[in-house]
Structure formats: C-alpha cells, structure tokens
Amino acid sequence: MALMTGEQYIESIRKIKMEIYMFGKKVENPVDDPILRPSLNSVRMTYDLAQMPEYQDLMTAISPYTGKRVNRFTHIHQSTEDLMNKVKMQRLCGQKTAACFQRCVGMDAFNAVFSTTYECDKAHGTNYHENFRKFMTYCQDNDLTVDGAMTDTKGDRSLAPHAQADPDLFLHVVERRPDGVVVRGAKAHQTGILNSHEVIVMPTQSMGPDDKDYAISFAVPLDTKGLYMIIGRQSCDTRKREGSEMDVGNSEFGGVEALTIFDNVFVPNDRIFLNGETEFAGMLVERFAGYHRQSYGGCKVGVGDVLIGAAAVAADYNGANKASHVKDKLIEMTHLNETLFCCGIACSAMGQPTESGNYLIDLLLANVCKQNVTRFPYEIVRLAEDIAGGLMVTAPSEADFRDPKLGPVIDKYLRGVASVTTENRLRILRLIENLSLGTAAVGYRTESMHGAGSPQAQRIMISRQGNLAHKKELAKAIAHIKE
Ligand SMILES: Cc1cc2nc3c(=O)[nH]c(=O)nc-3n(C[C@H](O)[C@H](O)[C@H](O)COP(=O)(O)OP(=O)(O)OC[C@H]3O[C@@H](n4cnc5c(N)ncnc54)[C@H](O)[C@@H]3O)c2cc1C
C-alpha cells in the first residue's frame, strides 16, 4: 500500500471501534469530537507532510526490510544521518502544529524493540525479533501510527512491581496459554493512543527475577477486547466546545493523553516481543528512553520556534519591538531553543550501530538533551509571558469582542500600534496563552518535564554514562600525580 494521505489516515482511524471515555461518558465519535479532533489533526500532519515533494527526504525513507518508501515515523534508523533527519523532521512537525504530534513515541518504541529483541534472542534462543519484524513490516506496509506504552501507574514508587499492594499497578501476565498470554494492568499518560492503529507495550523500568510476569512487551490493535481509554483533561480543554476558534488560540492542532486499561487482554504468541526475560527489561527501557530523549531535541524546538515567533509578533503589535531588552529576550529564547536542537543533533551525529544493525543515539548526549528540555521551555515561556504583557490572560472572550455594544469598546481600548487590528493582537496573545498555560502547555511544559522520564531519571543516566573515572585520570595526568 502507498503512503496514506491525511484524509485516508483520518478515515482509517474512524473505522477502528475504540472504547474511549471522557467527562464520565463513552465517546461514540472521537474523530469528530471538538476536544479530541485537534489532536487527530496533529497526527494527520505527519501524513500530509509526507505527501509533499519538498519534505519527502525528511518525512520518508526507503525501508531496507521492504524496499519500499515508508513514513519516517515507521522507519528503523540505518545511519547517523537517519537519526539527524528524525530530529529535523520532528522540528518541522512542531513548527507546523505548535503541538505534540504524538507519532514519535511509536517510532522510538520501534527502534528500541528492534535492537533489544535481537539481543534477547541471541541470549535466550527466543523468537521475538522475527515477531517484531513481522509486526514492523506490517506497520510500514500499511503506514500505521503506533503508540508506545511504557509508563505503568506504579503505585508506591519505593516498591518493585511484584511487591505492590495491588499486583495490577504494573501491567503483567495473568495467564499463560499455548497460543499466547493474557495481561492485566494500566498504562498512564498515553500520548495519542486514540489516534493510533496499534499500541506497543513495554515494561516501565528495570526488573529483578521476582518481576518475571511484569517483563512483558507486545503489540495489539486499539480495538482489542478488554482495552479501553480514559481521556486526561487538559487546562482550558472545554474552550474547544465553545465554538470560538479565537479563544482557543490554536484551534486546529493539539495533543492528547489517556489512561489506558488492559482488562485481561489476550496477546497472541506472534505479537510478543519479551516475556519473562527480566534482564532485558532494563535494556529496552534505556534504549526507548534514549531515543525519546533525543526526540525532544526536535519536537519541542519546533514548538519553541512558534512561541518565539508569537512573542516577537506580540512585541510588534504593542510597539515594544524596538526596545533593547525585548530584542535581547528574543535572542535569549532563540539561544535556549537552538541549544536544545544542538543536543538533538549531537546525540544523533554521535550515534552507533547496535548488534541488530539499527542505529542508537549517544545515550549520554541524549540524556543531556532531555535534561535541558526539562528547563529551557520553562524559561522560554517565562520570557514569552514577559513580552506578551498581562493581556494574554485577561483579554475578554471572542463573544464579547463580537458583541455589538462591547466589541467597539474592546477594539478601541485593547489596540496596540494603530496599524494593527485589535483582533490580530488578541489572536497572537491567545496563541501565547495556549502554549504557556492552555492545552498546548501540556505538551510544551509538563511533557518537557516528565515525558521520556522525570529529570532525576536523566541525572542517573548522566552519572552512569559520564565516565568520571576517566575524567579523574585526565586530571591526575595533567597534575603529574602518580599514585
Ligand atoms: C504529557 C505527557 C505525555 C506522556 N506520554 C507518554 C507516552 O506516550 N507513553 C508513555 O509510556 N509515557 C508517557 N508519559 C509518561 C512519562 O514517561 C512519566 O510521566 C514519567 O516517567 C514520570 O512518571 P510519573 O508521571 O508516574 O511520575 P512519578 O513517578 O510520580 O514521579 C514524580 C516525582 O517522583 C520522583 N520519583 C518517582 N519514583 C521515584 C523513586 N523510585 N525514587 C525516587 N524518586 C522517585 C520522580 O523523580 C519525580 O520527581 C507522558 C507524560 C506526560 C506528562
């Protein structure tokens, strides 16, 4: 099958009968729901851009496994150039949506599972790599979107999976059958899962021998019996139901997360990629997290580009654009944003092949990248709020602006420079509000903090990968110390 157009993608999701709940009710038509649709539009962008000749090299690649052109979001990285193109593609998608476009998590799961299954098979004589390659080529051939489900709900964070008061707080195998396994548990914060055709489940952390039933990885379609989703609500989300595209700030695009329940879900043998080999859980987590930490050096940078642009427009519109401190703040925002991009590119350029042949990023640099992402977007938002002025949170609604009595008053008093309409000024401020405090802030701020792991997870990796012993040797050599 050729690559899907955006429209074909939307219709393909419409055909999947998913069980989704939001605000205490079952969502019968998620594709056309005003709160959920913007998130679907963001994924759609990954299909639309792949159809455009000017973006073909970035958005697509030739799969060495099928010989066909595939969307890069389903590609297995073959070189450092592929790794760098991934980051550039993510920046582009961030620029076009100013939101989380959700498809990265599946791409990162693809590449982590690809190499981990290869090494697990070598150690244990299992058949997981072949299972995964069959699944991967099916996704490539049909141009599918795949969710990556790692994070368990985890209960008491100080306890291992098997030691939890409730055994279901980490997803686990509850029954082993000749034809497959039955699993139970939940995955939290699942980005874009309702906009996906398939979900790859992975363990959430390293595991010991007592956690055998928890060391499970597999893929199932989203209409699998027993799988259902409860949508996470985002700040200002019900504005999307009010019918004012102006008040939403970015009415076309958005992100979405869901608590996803696996209530005795059956997984057939040929969809299993890990099943009890506990020592490979850690490798899978480390590689997935590494790829995902690289991802943020692209996607958040693209969204940052839009926010920096919006802040500059806001300064133009209120006549502060020539002030030296405003110019300097825009330089600072750009510096921070490009630093993140540097990290994304650097960990890609320093990538190395794994035993399976696909390329893995430099893990130390990927963790440095994500550690910076836990900080810099917050500073970029702070500076954008500074430049925007208070009106970004106190502006009247569009309904007031359209009111025959109030509209002219708002138009008169909320104008900035005379040459720009008040409506345009309000529109750019609403976009800044959306990115700083509204629905997009989920993706730009809190996802920057916790997505791909909370800050401490990167610091642990940095301490492991930083090779302090080597640095001490360097210092001793320079100081002519002989011990
Ligand atoms: C917007 C968003 C999108 C996401 N998308 C996805 C997705 O698509 N797929 C996916 O699988 N996951 C996703 N995640 C989940 C993300 O990986 C987790 O949020 C992250 O790993 C942190 O886990 P948590 O939220 O349970 O926080 P917690 O584990 O509750 O962490 C809270 C704090 O407690 C600390 N802490 C936790 N455990 C310990 C411990 N044992 N010892 C010491 N300190 C500890 C942490 O360092 C942190 O400071 C997403 C998260 C967000 C916010």
Side-chain angles (χ1 to χ4, degrees):
M1 187 180 146
L3 294 177
M4 273 196 269
T5 64
E7 201 46 49
Q8 286 168 336
Y9 158 70
I10 302 265
E11 291 316 306
S12 72
I13 292 292
R14 194 188 292 284
K15 282 190 199 129
I16 306 175
K17 295 288 160 235
M18 300 187 204
E19 193 177 337
I20 302 170
Y21 298 89
M22 183 168 64
F23 299 128
K25 291 197 184 88
K26 192 163 177 213
V27 184
E28 299 299 345
N29 178 7
V31 165
D32 298 312
D33 184 279
I35 289 184
L36 302 176
R37 180 57 185 245
S39 71
L40 189 66
N41 290 341
S42 297
V43 184
R44 178 196 169 135
M45 185 57 83
T46 69
Y47 288 87
D48 284 336
L49 291 171
Q51 298 283 334
M52 298 181 191
E54 64 270 39
Y55 299 127
Q56 194 187 59
D57 287 348
L58 222 46
M59 296 299 304
T60 68
I62 302 296
S63 165
Y65 312 102
T66 67
K68 292 182 216 143
R69 188 168 290 283
V70 297
N71 192 297
R72 192 175 288 282
F73 281 99
T74 65
H75 185 50
I76 299 293
H77 314 303
Q78 301 297 309
S79 61
T80 52
E81 197 188 347
D82 267 350
L83 289 170
M84 287 189 279
N85 278 337
K86 169 195 165 184
V87 173
K88 291 178 195 168
M89 168 183 76
Q90 290 168 313
R91 184 171 190 169
L92 175 72
C93 293
Q95 290 172 340
K96 298 289 184 188
T97 59
C100 172
F101 41 88
Q102 307 144 54
R103 211 174 164 187
C104 316
V105 67
M107 168 177 52
D108 294 336
F110 256 44
N111 277 276
V113 174
F114 186 89
S115 61
T116 306
T117 50
Y118 183 90
E119 288 175 48
C120 182
D121 285 358
K122 224 173 101 179
H124 289 278
T126 42
N127 204 33
Y128 302 140
H129 191 65
E130 196 185 315
N131 284 353
F132 180 71
R133 276 174 77 138
K134 204 173 115 204
F135 170 70
M136 174 201 75
T137 47
Y138 163 73
C139 295
Q140 289 187 337
D141 284 344
N142 292 283
D143 199 10
L144 302 183
T145 290
V146 180
D147 174 67
M150 179 160 278
T151 311
D152 287 288
T153 50
K154 297 184 289 191
D156 182 338
R157 271 61 176 160
S158 68
L159 299 176
H162 72 275
Q164 296 286 333
D166 180 341
D168 298 341
L169 291 174
F170 285 75
L171 187 140
H172 62 126
V173 176
V174 290
E175 191 187 339
R176 293 177 193 279
R177 298 184 193 166
D179 53 345
V181 296
V182 177
V183 298
R184 188 161 65 230
K187 291 288 182 181
H189 325 288
Q190 289 313 298
T191 296
I193 187 161
L194 55 149
N195 301 326
S196 305
H197 305 91
E198 297 270 346
V199 52
I200 295 182
V201 170
M202 299 163 284
T204 208
Q205 62 186 50
S206 300
M207 293 189 178
D210 292 337
D211 296 320
K212 220 170 158 45
D213 288 340
Y214 296 86
I216 179 80
S217 177
F218 59 88
V220 286
L222 263 297
D223 56 358
T224 299
K225 190 165 173 280
L227 189 161
Y228 61 95
M229 292 155 259
I230 308 169
I231 301 293
R233 79 167 305 178
Q234 303 179 329
S235 70
C236 312
D237 50 8
T238 44
R239 283 194 193 186
K240 291 175 182 163
R241 279 187 173 168
E242 292 169 6
S244 163
E245 54 91 20
M246 191 170 150
D247 285 355
V248 174
N250 179 0
S251 59
E252 198 175 343
F253 302 107
V256 70
E257 284 77 30
L259 175 64
T260 304
I261 316 297
F262 294 76
D263 181 15
N264 296 317
V265 165
F266 174 71
V267 184
N269 282 330
D270 67 348
R271 284 296 193 97
I272 296 175
F273 313 137
L274 188 75
N275 186 6
E277 296 77 11
T278 45
E279 72 274 29
F280 283 93
M283 179 188 284
L284 186 49
V285 173
E286 189 174 286
R287 291 185 180 177
F288 169 77
Y291 284 122
H292 214 42
R293 290 168 192 174
Q294 168 211 25
S295 283
Y296 284 19
C299 65
K300 303 301 174 218
V301 179
V303 178
D305 285 330
V306 178
L307 182 56
I308 294 167
V313 173
D316 289 347
Y317 287 1
N318 72 5
N321 55 347
K322 295 201 174 59
S324 61
H325 80 95
V326 169
K327 284 186 194 162
D328 193 55
K329 279 166 186 159
L330 291 168
I331 292 168
E332 178 67 9
M333 291 163 86
T334 306
H335 167 74
L336 292 169
N337 205 40
E338 297 301 336
T339 303
L340 300 181
F341 189 55
C342 292
C343 292
I345 292 295
C347 69
S348 307
M350 298 284 284
Q352 294 284 336
T354 65
E355 283 184 38
S356 66
N358 77 338
Y359 269 64
L360 182 66
I361 52 323
D362 181 284
L363 285 173
L364 173 61
L365 297 188
N367 278 277
V368 169
C369 178
K370 172 68 206 323
Q371 181 80 178
N372 284 337
V373 172
T374 65
R375 300 170 182 174
F376 294 0
Y378 286 82
E379 181 62 4
I380 294 171
V381 161
R382 189 182 75 78
L383 293 168
E385 287 189 30
D386 179 348
I387 293 171
L391 197 58
M392 65 169 264
V393 291
T394 64
S397 69
E398 185 179 4
D400 293 319
F401 187 62
R402 306 284 175 218
D403 181 79
K405 177 182 167 192
L406 306 176
V409 178
I410 294 169
D411 190 44
K412 172 182 162 76
Y413 286 109
L414 296 188
R415 191 166 289 240
V417 295
S419 58
V420 173
T421 63
T422 303
E423 175 167 341
N424 282 350
R425 185 167 180 234
L426 293 178
R427 280 184 180 277
I428 207 70
L429 293 175
R430 284 291 183 217
L431 174 59
I432 297 174
E433 183 199 32
N434 175 264
L435 285 160
S436 313
L437 307 161
T439 51
V442 174
Y444 192 57
R445 290 174 53 135
T446 317
E447 194 177 37
S448 290
M449 179 66 76
H450 288 294
S454 309
Q456 188 59 18
Q458 291 109 58
R459 296 187 82 78
I460 291 167
M461 282 301 289
I462 290 169
S463 97
R464 248 192 246 156
Q465 304 264 332
N467 203 349
L468 203 53
H470 174 60
K471 292 179 174 67
K472 283 189 195 172
E473 288 308 319
L474 293 175
K476 284 180 192 168
I478 297 287
H480 301 291
I481 292 173
K482 287 194 179 62
E483 287 175 340

